[in-house]
Amino acid sequence: MKKLSLLIFTFFLSFSAFAEIGRWQTNDYSLSIQYNKEVQPGDAVFARLILKPRTKKIRKLTGTSTASMHFFTRVSDGNEAKSIDKTDMYIINKSKEASSPAKNDVLLAGLPLSSYCKEGDYELKIIFSAFGQPEYEFSLPVTVIAKEFVSETIPLNASNTAIKTDTSKTRVNQINRLNEILKAKNPESIYSLSAFSAPNPATRRTSFFADRRVYAYSNGKSSTSLHYGIDYGIPTGSKVRACGPGKVVMAEDRVSTGWSICIEHLPGLYSLYYHMSRLDVKEGQIVKQGELLGLSGATGLATGPHLHWEIRLNMAAVSPDFFTGDFTFADSQESRTYR
């Protein structure tokens, strides 16, 4: 594997709204990458890689472009870089046949950041093979900006205490089933490349993403946990809509979360909707952005009527607010140039 050499590649970075843009060029192909350089704990680092043939030799190739993302701490004060996370990128413009000559390849992926991620400088490494050619790698800077999170204590009555401490086979099986769903990363599941919208127009939030929670049980005991989504304080019967296009991969009644829905949007990217009073979609159904999923409620572990909206990326909970921006860079000038 080779590192990109400035003697071979011309390179520069420019800033455009949500995305930092880097470009390289060889005699055979050009490379453009967009990524969000500045993030907060609990957000995600997304990157869109665009590979474009420049010579007849490359255009005749039938090899598939591949790439992976690797997130590291930066080398500082004599300390070595430490690997934090990695993921494979997936092609989002699969319009050519496997045996067809090379055209533009566009790859995308995201890495979730823990809400406990410390502020500071980090490194995003991209390893790629253009059209089946030898692998190269390059690194880009990422800055994590500090963010404060809410701490709260939630008293639970006897009914909610029983749900929170339930160790029944039914609840364990439901947890395992959802984990298996969220673990799946099907590279063919490209349903949505646009920014998400909130599932309800309400602006009143009763809980926020990554709240640090203490649950005070009715028996005098307690436990601590993170809140993985956003709670909207809306009356039972309020309309709940899909935040983006996707496939319903779960629609069922669960012990902890009541009537619940999970939608797959991209490989490893899912949205969840909890505590509903009615479901209007079924597992396997393809939904559009804004399509009615059902009505909100207070089923499962709930201290009152509300909607819990959650986003998972590679199984990790990430801030839903992050995805209401152009996180795939679909609307950027750079992306439009290479369509």
Side-chain angles (χ1 to χ4, degrees):
M1 187 188 307
K2 301 179 180 179
K3 291 186 178 180
L4 294 187
S5 170
L6 294 180
L7 297 176
I8 303 175
F9 286 76
T10 60
F11 165 71
F12 67 90
L13 283 173
S14 62
F15 182 72
S16 175
F18 194 68
E20 198 84 10
I21 302 171
R23 299 186 183 93
W24 289 263
Q25 184 170 293
T26 69
N27 291 331
D28 293 325
Y29 61 85
S30 63
L31 177 155
S32 174
I33 186 162
Q34 299 160 275
Y35 79 109
N36 49 314
K37 179 183 177 181
E38 293 187 349
V39 289
Q40 293 181 318
D43 285 348
V45 177
F46 264 78
R48 176 187 282 242
L49 181 66
I50 303 171
L51 297 165
K52 183 177 181 180
R54 301 186 68 240
T55 63
K56 291 182 179 179
K57 179 184 75 173
I58 296 296
R59 290 192 181 97
K60 291 180 180 179
L61 295 177
T62 58
T64 301
S65 298
T66 59
S68 58
M69 295 171 54
H70 305 255
F71 195 61
F72 291 87
T73 59
R74 293 290 294 274
V75 177
S76 62
D77 299 328
N79 296 321
E80 294 185 0
K82 179 182 177 182
S83 176
I84 298 175
D85 201 358
K86 63 181 179 179
T87 191
D88 290 332
M89 303 185 76
Y90 44 86
I91 293 179
I92 60 175
N93 65 329
K94 287 188 177 180
S95 58
K96 64 183 182 182
E97 299 295 330
S99 59
S100 299
K103 299 179 182 178
N104 295 353
D105 276 347
V106 183
L107 298 93
L108 180 77
L111 286 170
L113 295 188
S114 166
S115 64
Y116 291 104
C117 186
K118 295 180 180 180
E119 65 177 306
D121 295 326
Y122 293 80
E123 180 180 294
L124 180 66
K125 180 187 291 186
I126 306 293
I127 301 174
F128 74 97
S129 166
F131 314 109
Q133 297 299 288
E135 284 189 337
Y136 283 90
E137 68 175 56
F138 60 92
S139 295
L140 300 165
V142 175
T143 301
V144 176
I145 302 170
K147 180 180 180 180
E148 295 291 330
F149 293 94
V150 174
S151 296
E152 61 178 351
T153 298
I154 300 179
L156 300 181
N157 60 21
S159 176
N160 280 329
T161 294
I163 293 174
K164 183 65 177 174
T165 58
D166 187 334
T167 58
S168 67
K169 185 176 181 180
T170 297
R171 183 171 182 243
V172 170
N173 287 342
Q174 289 173 351
I175 293 172
N176 291 338
R177 167 173 152 73
L178 180 56
N179 284 338
E180 286 301 313
I181 290 172
L182 299 176
K183 187 187 301 182
K185 294 172 66 175
N186 181 2
E188 304 296 326
S189 298
I190 313 293
Y191 297 104
S192 174
L193 292 171
S194 58
F196 288 172
S197 55
N200 185 276
T203 57
R204 177 173 171 260
R205 299 182 178 189
T206 53
S207 291
F208 302 88
F209 170 75
D211 285 356
R212 276 60 170 151
R213 284 184 166 180
V214 175
Y215 286 101
Y217 300 153
S218 61
N219 59 12
K221 298 181 180 181
S222 66
S223 66
T224 60
S225 68
L226 285 179
H227 186 239
Y228 289 146
I230 294 171
D231 285 350
Y232 292 94
I234 53 179
T236 294
S238 301
K239 292 181 178 180
V240 178
R241 301 186 181 277
C243 67
K247 180 180 180 180
V248 178
V249 291
M250 185 191 75
E252 64 186 34
D253 187 17
R254 306 176 73 242
V255 173
S256 297
T257 60
W259 288 103
S260 307
I261 291 171
C262 180
I263 299 175
E264 180 184 30
H265 301 282
L266 285 170
L269 181 62
Y270 298 85
S271 62
L272 299 111
Y273 313 77
Y274 289 162
H275 311 297
M276 297 174 66
S277 62
R278 190 185 82 190
L279 305 187
D280 289 341
V281 293
K282 297 180 180 179
E283 188 173 317
Q285 182 175 337
I286 304 298
V287 295
K288 299 177 181 179
Q289 186 169 26
E291 186 168 339
L292 182 66
L293 300 177
L295 303 179
S296 66
T299 56
L301 198 167
T303 58
H306 71 285
L307 169 68
H308 174 96
W309 179 41
E310 185 174 318
I311 304 293
R312 294 289 187 111
L313 174 62
N314 302 347
M315 293 194 73
V318 281
S319 172
D321 288 327
F322 172 83
F323 294 91
T324 60
D326 183 23
F327 68 96
T328 69
F329 318 107
D331 295 329
S332 70
Q333 180 60 43
E334 187 78 6
S335 296
R336 290 195 293 268
T337 301
Y338 283 90
R339 285 175 183 169

